[in-house]
Amino acid sequence: MSIRPVEFNGMIQNTQGASIQKAADDSRPAINQQNMAVTVTKEAEQAQRSVTKKSQSAKESALDPNGSNGGALLSDEKRERKQKKKDEDSDGRVIRKGEAVSFDIKI
């Protein structure tokens, strides 16, 4: 049995092209971040120059006499649910709580 020599079939990489590609891959996140910052800046400038519809805050909508009073209604519903749950949880017993403890501090 004869042993043949080992053959290597390798290619020499184009180092110049590979280094350019590596540099592009390394700088891609920074370029993406820069593009995003430019886009946000342009959108902010456009928003300053354009007329937009006034947005109602939660406080304004709750105090609106002609509106649905959504904020006040929601808080009333929450209060009623809490009271109903509290009534369901009580067993009718009266529990006397301890008296408040007071103390003096002198400097």
Side-chain angles (χ1 to χ4, degrees):
M1 177 164 116
S2 66
I3 299 176
R4 293 185 347 184
V6 178
E7 295 179 15
F8 288 107
N9 187 9
M11 292 178 50
I12 298 174
Q13 191 176 27
N14 185 359
T15 56
Q16 225 176 12
S19 63
I20 292 171
Q21 183 66 33
K22 175 73 171 137
D25 289 344
D26 290 345
S27 66
R28 184 171 292 129
I31 292 171
N32 287 343
Q33 180 68 28
Q34 186 178 8
N35 289 340
M36 184 65 73
V38 169
T39 303
V40 169
T41 304
K42 285 182 181 180
E43 288 176 358
E45 288 175 0
Q46 179 65 25
Q48 288 176 351
R49 290 188 174 88
S50 64
V51 177
T52 57
K53 186 176 180 179
K54 178 184 168 189
S55 63
Q56 274 191 331
S57 67
K59 185 176 181 180
E60 290 174 346
S61 64
L63 299 176
D64 185 19
N66 298 329
S68 64
N69 291 335
L73 183 63
L74 288 176
S75 64
D76 289 342
E77 289 175 359
K78 286 180 183 178
R79 194 175 304 117
E80 288 174 5
R81 273 191 255 136
K82 280 185 178 180
Q83 185 65 30
K84 189 180 286 186
K85 185 177 179 183
K86 185 177 177 183
D87 291 343
E88 290 173 358
D89 291 343
S90 70
D91 56 354
R93 292 186 301 160
V94 177
I95 300 171
R96 182 176 180 190
K97 295 187 177 184
E99 295 180 16
V101 179
S102 64
F103 57 92
D104 293 331
I105 298 176
K106 293 184 181 179
I107 298 177

